[in-house]
């Protein structure tokens, strides 16, 4: 997999502690980014006992595939490891 093909897939950590993987786009307002648009967001669930990672739809009861997230709710945005991106791409 080439990095450039999937560089919009990011790991977003929220103030709630949730880790979300999604394709992201910035939501601008003037010269400022006020949030992110999360496309097909999945919550990451780590099972330490089984040493496994599961992806669960983040907004399971929504018809929307894109979810706006206000910048104030975001702790950080980082690049996920390749194995996680590959797992995400299966959905």
């Amino acid at each position: 997999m080439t990095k450039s093909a999937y560089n919009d897939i990011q790991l977003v950590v929220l103030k709630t502690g949730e880790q979300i993987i999604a394709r992201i786009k910035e939501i601008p307002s003037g010269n400022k980014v006020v949030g992110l648009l999360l496309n097909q967001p999945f919550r990451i669930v780590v099972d330490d006992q089984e040493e496994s990672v599961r992806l669960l739809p983040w907004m399971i009861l929504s018809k929307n595939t894109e979810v706006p997230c206000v910048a104030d709710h975001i702790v950080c945005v980082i690049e996920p490891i390749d194995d996680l991106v590959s797992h995400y791409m299966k959905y």
Side-chain angles (χ1 to χ4, degrees), residues 5-61:
Y6 302 109
N7 64 357
D8 62 334
I9 299 173
Q10 297 290 310
L11 181 59
V12 180
V13 180
L14 303 177
K15 285 186 177 179
T16 61
E18 290 175 293
Q19 295 182 34
I20 308 296
I21 186 168
R23 292 186 179 275
I24 66 167
K25 294 180 189 171
E26 293 180 344
I27 301 172
S29 179
N31 294 333
K32 189 175 168 184
V33 175
V34 295
L36 295 176
L37 188 60
L38 308 178
N39 187 331
Q40 295 180 315
F42 281 81
R43 183 169 55 101
I44 299 169
V45 178
V46 178
D47 186 335
D48 291 328
Q49 287 183 333
E50 294 186 22
E51 296 181 1
S52 65
V53 174
R54 291 185 299 144
L55 299 181
L56 301 174
W58 184 41
M59 293 294 194
I60 196 164
L61 299 177

